[in-house]
Every structure is written in C-alpha cells, then in structure tokens.
Amino acid sequence: MHQYTGKLAVLHQGAEEKQRSQELADRLSVPLYEIIDKECPENFFLSWREGCLKLLDRELLKKGGLVVDIEPRNGEQRSWPAPKQDALAHALGRKTKTVVDATTGWGQDSLHIFRMGYELICIERSPVMAELLADGFNRLAELDWMRNLQLRPPKLLKGNAIELLATLDTPPDCIYLDPMFPPKRKKSALAKKSMVVLRDLLGDDHDKEQLFEASVKATGKRVVIKSPDYAEPLGGKPNESYHGKLLRYDVYLKN
Ligand SMILES: C[S@@+](CC[C@H](N)C(=O)[O-])C[C@H]1O[C@@H](n2cnc3c(N)ncnc32)[C@H](O)[C@@H]1O
C-alpha cells in the first residue's frame, strides 16, 4: 500500500490547473477529486488555489488552506541580507557562510536563514512537503526583490537527509535540524495550525538520533538542533545553547 493511500488526495475545482493537478496526483500516486463527499476516506488535500499550492484538512476546506509562506516573519527587517542578530543567527555561528537545513518542513526557518544571506541547501523527505516547498520557492523566485538582487531560491533536495547528507559535494559550515519532537501535552493550545497539520500528516520523526549522527559526520564545523525547551538535548551536552521563546538552539561543534 502506498504511504498516502486513504490519507491524501489532490482536489481540483474549476477549470484552472487541471493538467497540473493531474500531474501532481500522478507524482504522489493519490486520487484526484473534483468534489469531496462523506465517502472519501482522505483527511488531507492538496489544491492549487489563487496561484499557490495549498494543503488542507477537512477543517480548512472552506477556510483556505496552508501554504509555504514566503513573507518575512513579524519583526524581521525587510532588507537583504537581514541582520544576523537573533538567537538562530548566534547559533548558526558568526563565521558560518553555508548552511544545510536537513528538516525543511514548511520552510519557515530556511527562509529566515536565506533572508539573512546564508548560502542554503534545503532537504525534505516528505513528498507532500517537498511539493509545497517547491511551489513556495518558485513564488519566491518571482518576487521583485529577488529579481532585482539576482538571487536564486535555495536548492531543494528531496529525500532522506540521513542518506543525502553523505552525498554533499562540500561539507557545509553548519547543518541545521528541527525534527518533530513529541508534544509535551496532548493538545497544545499554542501550537500553530501548520505544525498541527504537519504532525497529523507525518507523525513524529523517530530517527532523530540517526539524523544527528549523519549530520555530525557530514558537517564542516557545526550542527545546530532546534528543540522545545522541555526536551533533553538530542546529542548529549551541547557546546553552546541559545534560548528563544519556548525553544532552544543546541550547538554541537565539530573538532
Ligand atoms: C518540525 S518540521 C520542520 C519545520 C521547519 N523548521 C519550519 O520552519 O517550517 C520537521 C520536518 O523535517 C522533515 N524531516 C524529518 N526527518 C528528516 C530526514 N531524516 N530527512 C529529511 N527530512 C526530514 C519532516 O518530514 C518534517 O517536514
């Protein structure tokens, strides 16, 4: 049985994007629907709407859906490169130039890293998330400031980072990890909808330790792990830790 059987379908409504929707459904080996009724077993849907690829669950069907948001975060300076001044930038390291984000997800950390001017490669193993990211990066490429500065979006590698990291041409200065940790409480009122949907769709990442080990091998200088403040450090005692709101960036330096 395919990984998305009974879980995910592509939803196509209206005349636009019919071909594109069919190709997407074929790539992911999932059904293509024009309407969703009670008989459909799937809970997740990908749909082209208003020029973006959106992920919907049943709750979001009428409300809109989730996209890879390419706009700067609240409080982030709208210049390029944005100043490297927050906890994440400190964790990435003052001398760091090249970064691999091995757990790209919704791309929010990646895009922040990219906007701070680091040279970035992104890795994502979920085929659904990789489709959403590819759409987000295509939209990013079209933005005026990207064109004016002749910038290209980060390179996106699709697959398991545990294998892909070993195939990199040059070791990056930093490998960044933000795997899915089990939630502290059953349902957190604070959890963002995009992260709730990601967890429902993908579940926890149970091979975090192997990913950490593969990252230590593949990095040139350091590995940074983002984790919730309640979680034990994934790789034992870190060399440095930087604290953000309810989270921590643990830094492991390679000697
Ligand atoms: C918590 S999310 C990351 C969120 C991301 N930092 C953001 O800002 O949107 C974790 C993501 O890492 C991906 N992932 C976990 N382990 C991976 C691996 N070994 N290789 C590639 N992707 C992985 C999961 O599929 C998921 O999309």
Side-chain angles (χ1 to χ4, degrees), residues 102-109 124-125 159-161 178 198 202 205:
T103 57
T104 306
W106 285 104
Q108 296 308 287
D109 292 330
E124 174 53 53
R125 71 171 157 196
N160 192 337
D178 175 21
L198 198 66
L202 306 178
D205 294 317

Side-chain angles (χ1 to χ4, degrees), residues 100-103 123 160-166 168 171-179 207-225 234 252-254:
V100 172
D101 181 350
T103 57
I123 306 180
N160 192 337
I162 297 173
E163 287 139 33
L164 291 176
L165 286 173
L168 296 174
D173 297 330
C174 176
I175 296 180
Y176 178 74
L177 306 176
D178 175 21
D207 49 4
K208 296 191 258 303
E209 282 79 11
Q210 285 109 289
L211 179 58
F212 174 68
E213 280 160 29
S215 304
V216 171
K217 265 193 208 144
T219 192
K221 293 183 184 152
R222 64 173 66 207
V223 176
V224 173
I225 308 174
L234 191 63
Y252 297 88
L253 301 174
K254 191 159 168 168

Side-chain angles (χ1 to χ4, degrees), residues 186-204:
K186 272 256 146 40
K187 274 239 184 301
S188 160
L190 293 170
K192 272 177 83 176
K193 177 72 183 171
S194 55
M195 284 301 153
V196 175
V197 168
L198 198 66
R199 177 180 300 282
D200 287 351
L201 181 67
L202 306 178
D204 284 330

Side-chain angles (χ1 to χ4, degrees), residues 18-242:
K18 174 127 204 194
Q19 175 79 15
R20 222 173 168 194
S21 302
Q22 184 65 63
E23 287 166 5
L24 177 64
D26 292 346
R27 274 202 300 282
L28 295 171
S29 308
V30 300
L32 176 68
Y33 296 144
E34 297 205 355
I35 39 168
I36 300 169
D37 55 31
K38 290 202 186 81
E39 308 294 302
C40 306
E42 293 83 4
N43 269 326
F44 294 101
F45 306 93
L46 282 172
S47 192
W48 293 100
R49 293 180 173 186
E50 292 128 16
C52 306
L53 184 61
K54 301 197 175 185
L55 178 64
L56 308 115
D57 62 7
R58 287 196 178 251
E59 196 186 302
L60 287 170
L61 273 174
K62 292 213 174 69
K63 289 194 204 155
L66 300 164
V67 297
V68 168
D69 184 359
I70 56 171
E71 285 300 309
R73 293 168 171 178
N74 275 347
E76 201 182 307
Q77 208 161 300
R78 284 182 176 260
S79 57
W80 190 92
K84 301 180 174 87
Q85 60 192 16
D86 60 5
L88 172 57
H90 288 127
L92 296 179
R94 212 160 37 89
K95 294 191 181 148
T96 292
K97 291 198 165 55
T98 52
V99 179
V100 172
D101 181 350
T103 57
T104 306
W106 285 104
Q108 296 308 287
D109 292 330
S110 266
L111 287 163
H112 180 47
I113 293 169
F114 176 75
R115 286 188 295 258
M116 287 191 286
Y118 297 94
E119 213 180 288
L120 177 69
I121 293 177
C122 294
I123 306 180
E124 174 53 53
R125 71 171 157 196
S126 151
V128 170
M129 295 316 296
E131 293 285 351
L132 290 158
L133 284 166
D135 167 59
F137 288 0
N138 285 341
R139 284 183 281 116
L140 179 70
E142 298 301 318
L143 297 181
D144 285 346
W145 64 269
M146 287 284 292
R147 283 173 173 257
N148 294 342
L149 293 164
Q150 298 190 336
L151 293 171
R152 300 242 298 264
K155 184 171 172 188
L156 175 62
L157 305 179
K158 303 177 186 183
N160 192 337
I162 297 173
E163 287 139 33
L164 291 176
L165 286 173
T167 67
L168 296 174
D169 292 338
T170 320
D173 297 330
C174 176
I175 296 180
Y176 178 74
L177 306 176
D178 175 21
M180 205 104 64
F181 284 83
K184 195 174 173 188
R185 293 166 218 94
K186 272 256 146 40
K187 274 239 184 301
S188 160
L190 293 170
K192 272 177 83 176
K193 177 72 183 171
S194 55
M195 284 301 153
V196 175
V197 168
L198 198 66
R199 177 180 300 282
D200 287 351
L201 181 67
L202 306 178
D204 284 330
D205 294 317
H206 294 292
D207 49 4
K208 296 191 258 303
E209 282 79 11
Q210 285 109 289
L211 179 58
F212 174 68
E213 280 160 29
S215 304
V216 171
K217 265 193 208 144
T219 192
K221 293 183 184 152
R222 64 173 66 207
V223 176
V224 173
I225 308 174
K226 177 176 169 182
S227 76
D229 54 4
Y230 57 81
E232 286 292 310
L234 191 63
K237 195 173 179 314
N239 296 95
E240 297 163 13
S241 277
Y242 296 89

